[in-house]
Amino acid sequence: MYLWLKQRYYFFNRSLMKNICVFCGSSRGFDRSYEAGSREFGKVMADEGFNLVYGGANIGLMKVVADEMLAGGREVYGVMPHFLADKEIAHEGITRMHLVESMAERKQVMAGISDAFVILPGGVGTMDEFFEALSWNQLKIMNKPIAILNLNGFFDHLVDFLDHALEEKFLRKEHRMNLILEKEPKALFEKLKVFKFVEPVEWVERLKIKGY
Ligand code: AMP
């Protein structure tokens, strides 16, 4: 009930946006710009006054962002399955760690306590999390903004794929427009703060009749 009320109220009052979920690599990537860009992102996010929700690891870009947020005096919530925590990759300096049973539960909990999502460079884990959140929005299971920080052009191929899917009519224009894409953290947060969903009209009806 509380979550439902929070979601309703949040819909009318974006200033309630407090917790941002960041999906990013458990690696740092080869080019140093990924780490530098993630550090800068964490700094800006802390200055903006948000809290961080993330996978809870003490490795890769995940740790870089978490450490910057902690240095900026913000709250950091980790969500991690037991089996990963047992591998001793859990960050021990964060505000709170939620231990869960599975990867699926991890995504559910992360989405439940977050008001928006930001995607930084990463591997298949990051992509899995990104596409799941994107499809939840598309199906209206969820209604929370998603932004991509395109550090060093890392996501150019992903954007090409989405535009190709749009052109071939496997993706709706409105769903594509709902994705925020920025190269600079400050610009990304500016867009996130004023974001409004564009809803496709008669989407499912049209699929049934026309097939696209
Ligand atoms: P990666 O982008 O592959 O470095 O992974 C980033 C984060 O995603 C790590 O915390 C992984 O534990 C997590 N991850 C990996 N695979 C999955 C999955 N199938 N579902 C959810 N999270 C995942």
Side-chain angles (χ1 to χ4, degrees):
M1 180 66 179
Y2 168 73
L3 262 182
W4 182 84
L5 276 176
K6 189 182 165 203
Q7 279 190 353
R8 290 300 96 182
Y9 187 57
Y10 159 77
F11 189 77
F12 294 108
N13 185 357
R14 292 275 167 192
S15 66
L16 265 192
M17 195 187 293
K18 194 83 192 114
N19 295 343
I20 295 188
C21 180
V22 175
F23 293 138
C24 62
S26 52
S27 316
R28 284 174 192 238
F30 181 64
D31 196 295
R32 303 300 289 177
S33 65
Y34 299 123
E35 185 177 340
S38 300
R39 183 159 289 127
E40 161 74 4
F41 169 81
K43 234 180 236 135
V44 174
M45 182 163 157
D47 288 348
E48 291 280 346
F50 295 113
N51 299 325
L52 171 68
V53 176
Y54 85 120
N58 64 359
I59 49 174
L61 297 184
M62 298 170 77
K63 173 178 164 57
V64 171
V65 176
D67 284 349
E68 282 306 320
M69 286 291 290
L70 290 167
R74 300 297 164 201
E75 307 215 326
V76 175
Y77 307 115
V79 185
M80 188 174 259
H82 284 282
F83 78 88
L84 280 182
D86 293 346
K87 286 190 175 142
E88 295 182 4
I89 56 161
H91 197 309
E92 293 188 344
I94 61 178
T95 317
R96 199 177 312 146
M97 181 74 87
H98 298 262
L99 288 176
V100 293
E101 296 305 318
S102 65
M103 298 302 246
E105 189 189 352
R106 182 195 223 180
K107 282 178 281 193
Q108 290 271 0
V109 171
M110 290 170 98
I113 60 176
S114 303
D115 302 306
F117 298 85
V118 177
I119 320 299
L120 268 54
V124 293
T126 304
M127 288 301 101
D128 173 88
E129 291 160 330
F130 163 64
F131 277 109
E132 184 132 15
L134 193 64
S135 62
W136 284 350
N137 266 351
Q138 186 168 298
L139 295 170
K140 290 199 181 178
I141 298 170
M142 188 176 80
N143 202 12
K144 300 180 179 180
I146 303 174
I148 291 179
L149 184 65
N150 194 11
L151 291 176
N152 196 26
F154 180 77
F155 289 109
D156 287 353
H157 298 298
L158 177 74
V159 174
D160 285 348
F161 162 72
L162 292 173
D163 288 340
H164 177 62
L166 175 66
E167 223 165 88
E168 295 297 324
K169 299 206 182 296
F170 284 103
L171 177 67
R172 297 280 308 182
K173 183 174 79 228
E174 294 85 348
H175 293 142
R176 171 68 185 84
M177 284 163 67
N178 283 333
L179 199 55
I180 299 168
L181 183 75
E182 282 297 333
K183 284 187 156 70
E184 299 292 333
K186 278 199 179 109
L188 181 145
F189 284 111
E190 287 320 308
K191 278 204 180 158
L192 209 49
K193 284 187 282 186
V194 298
F195 177 80
K196 281 192 177 59
F197 274 99
V198 187
E199 295 297 348
V201 191
E202 294 170 349
W203 166 43
V204 178
E205 285 69 20
R206 190 191 153 108
L207 282 183
K208 282 195 228 161
I209 297 163
K210 293 193 80 173
Y212 59 86

